Amino acid sequence: AAFGSLLAADSSFVLAALGVGLTESNGTLRGYALEPALRRQAGLDEPDRLLLRALTGPAWPQPSGIPERIQDWSIAVAAAPDRPIPLYRFGETLFHHGPWTGAPDILERAATAFRQALALEPAFVPALGHLLDLAATTGDTTGVRALSQRYLAIDSLSPLADYYRWRVGLALPDTRLLQVTRARLDSMAPPALERLINVAQLDGTALED
């Protein structure tokens, strides 16, 4: 929101445009935000130009463009290893689209990127959430407990908090937590419901929910 306000006030502010592109995870503002940055690439230093390239790489999630996108993000992260958001976006690319490549270590690479982002910014809950998802998917109950405690201590009231309670309830399993969370299904925030629906289908679990 802050980057968007800056860009609305000055459409030539290329760093604000890049900021919107980096922080808008669902991509709905990406074209609008990045157009000024693309027109004014000369105003960016090399790490930011590489970030812009990663953000505007080949169309995806078509499998044919995924290896190139992963490579672009890898280069961008190497040029700015002290920035948590590019590390997180690299991890997201590996997490959501990397499995299409068939690489056996793709999710571990994603976990590494999320951990590196958290080392730079310990309260970065999107990275924590993705690590929690990975732990739940792989049956790492010790990781689920530790990561969920850390996540909910920071962000217990976010739109996704109930989704993660549901995820933890299933993974441990924790019958009481699952019962309490299921009682809130009718009032859950839409982002939590969307994530719950997607994960239930992808993992083939709790389809009744």
Side-chain angles (χ1 to χ4, degrees), residues 97-199:
H97 304 283
W100 285 97
T101 66
D105 64 340
I106 206 76
L107 292 180
E108 183 51 44
R109 289 178 64 193
T112 297
F114 294 137
R115 292 188 195 105
Q116 289 172 337
L118 283 169
L120 294 168
E121 177 47 75
F124 196 173
V125 289
L128 271 173
H130 278 71
L131 285 172
L132 178 50
D133 278 317
L134 284 167
T137 296
T138 58
D140 175 10
T141 55
T142 300
V144 168
R145 286 189 177 90
L147 290 163
S148 62
Q149 289 174 3
R150 185 175 172 187
Y151 183 102
L152 293 170
I154 298 169
D155 205 25
S156 63
L157 300 177
S158 77
L160 287 177
D162 274 338
Y163 157 72
Y164 282 113
R165 292 185 180 98
W166 172 85
R167 189 79 152 125
V168 171
L170 284 172
L172 290 181
D174 184 329
T175 305
R176 182 180 177 279
L177 177 60
L178 202 53
Q179 182 179 12
V180 170
T181 305
R182 281 174 167 157
R184 288 201 293 271
L185 278 174
D186 288 343
S187 59
M188 242 182 230
L193 291 173
E194 180 182 14
R195 189 75 65 88
L196 184 155
I197 290 166
N198 289 338
V199 167

Side-chain angles (χ1 to χ4, degrees), residues 55-78:
L55 285 165
T56 57
W60 55 308
Q62 290 81 2
S64 60
I66 292 172
E68 185 177 345
R69 177 57 65 90
I70 290 173
Q71 179 68 11
D72 284 346
W73 274 111
S74 179
I75 293 170
V77 164

